[in-house]
């Protein structure tokens, strides 16, 4: 079953009966993408929420100076979308691009609403996912407000070591509001 990784992710958070487990896959479409493929483009309606089965993606916007600013990463078992535009079914300012060959499950807003009506216990699962995501965003804001640039990078490495291994350095720099050159300096300092 293509939805098995998603089921494996859901079951620690909520209990599903067997018939509910069997239903979940029908609400999702399965996709594979190559590295650097675009999943969502700024200026288009945000139609899907993406669950990463294998691979990695990042969400970014392009500022008024034409510079890409990464706001989120997603590895296996992470969700990624512009949540507000998805909820409103409106245009997004964000892009989502793969950073590795990626396999994912996508669900449209209408399909998600239908699934939640059919399997109400998933409301709790999605609430918990949003709370975890919100908490991570608050931690990032705290880091940016209170820590030095070097401490921000070190905190990121401590909290998310898997990203440091798999995400290009320039994207980590963009996510943390640092320059790639500064991240290189910190990495050289850590090696010495």
């Amino acid at each position: 079953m293509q939805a098995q990784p998603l089921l494996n992710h859901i079951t620690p958070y909520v209990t599903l009966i067997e018939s509910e487990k069997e239903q979940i896959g029908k609400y999702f479409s399965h996709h594979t993408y190559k590295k650097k493929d675009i999943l969502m483009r700024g200026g288009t309606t945000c139609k899907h929420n993406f669950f990463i089965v294998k691979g990695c993606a990042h969400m970014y916007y392009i500022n008024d100076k034409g510079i890409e600013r990464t706001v989120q990463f997603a590895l296996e078992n992470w969700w990624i979308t512009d949540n507000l535009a998805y909820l409103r079914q409106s245009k997004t300012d964000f892009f989502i691009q793969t950073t590795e060959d990626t396999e994912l499950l996508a669900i449209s807003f209408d399909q998600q609403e239908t699934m939640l009506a059919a399997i109400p216990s998933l409301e709790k699962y999605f609430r918990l996912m949003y709370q975890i995501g919100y908490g991570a965003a608050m931690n990032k804001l705290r880091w940016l407000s209170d820590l030095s640039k070097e401490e921000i990078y070190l905190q990121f490495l401590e909290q998310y070591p898997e990203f440091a291994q798999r995400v290009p350095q320039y994207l980590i720099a963009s996510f943390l509001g640092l320059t790639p050159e500064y991240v290189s300096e910190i990495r050289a300092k850590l090696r010495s």
Side-chain angles (χ1 to χ4, degrees):
M1 172 190 231
Q2 291 176 332
Q4 193 59 50
L6 176 57
L7 285 171
N8 294 344
H9 193 260
I10 292 170
T11 53
Y13 297 99
V14 296
T15 302
L16 300 172
I17 61 174
E18 202 57 40
S19 63
E20 291 173 329
K21 291 178 185 178
E22 292 169 4
Q23 285 183 58
I24 288 176
K26 75 179 186 179
Y27 298 103
F28 289 84
S29 56
H30 179 263
H31 303 272
T32 56
Y33 294 92
K34 295 289 184 191
K35 181 178 180 178
K36 296 199 175 193
D37 280 351
I38 300 288
L39 310 179
M40 183 176 78
R41 291 189 182 280
T44 63
T45 301
C46 179
K47 295 182 179 180
H48 294 93
N49 195 359
F50 303 102
F51 179 80
I52 305 296
V53 173
K54 183 179 181 204
C56 184
H58 76 116
M59 187 164 68
Y60 64 93
Y61 67 94
I62 300 172
N63 71 15
D64 57 1
K65 295 177 182 171
I67 298 169
E68 290 182 13
R69 295 288 186 203
T70 297
V71 296
Q72 182 183 356
F73 296 112
L75 294 172
E76 291 83 8
N77 299 318
W78 288 53
W79 290 90
I80 190 167
T81 196
D82 175 349
N83 285 304
L84 194 55
Y86 180 69
L87 172 67
R88 294 177 176 166
Q89 287 297 276
S90 63
K91 288 187 178 180
T92 180
D93 293 326
F94 295 99
F95 295 76
I96 299 176
Q97 182 180 38
T98 58
T99 60
E100 298 175 353
D101 289 351
T102 300
E103 176 184 352
L104 59 80
L105 297 172
I107 189 167
S108 71
F109 180 79
D110 291 339
Q111 282 292 87
Q112 184 169 327
E113 290 298 304
T114 301
M115 180 181 69
L116 293 175
I119 311 170
S121 59
L122 290 178
E123 288 275 358
K124 177 181 178 184
Y125 168 76
F126 281 100
R127 176 180 53 82
L128 293 170
M129 294 305 100
Y130 291 131
Q131 287 174 326
I132 291 167
Y134 184 76
M138 293 298 96
N139 279 335
K140 180 183 175 190
L141 285 174
R142 190 186 69 196
W143 297 350
L144 295 175
S145 296
D146 293 342
L147 302 178
S148 71
K149 290 179 179 182
E150 185 172 339
E151 289 170 330
I152 290 168
Y153 181 73
L154 295 174
Q155 187 68 38
F156 177 81
L157 292 181
E158 182 180 313
Q159 292 284 317
Y160 305 103
E162 65 276 17
F163 288 110
Q165 301 298 316
R166 295 175 55 187
V167 174
Q169 179 177 303
Y170 75 95
L171 291 178
I172 292 172
S174 171
F175 178 73
L176 297 175
L178 307 172
T179 65
E181 296 78 16
Y182 188 74
V183 170
S184 290
E185 287 176 29
I186 296 170
R187 289 171 63 137
K189 182 178 169 183
L190 293 174
R191 282 191 296 267
S192 60

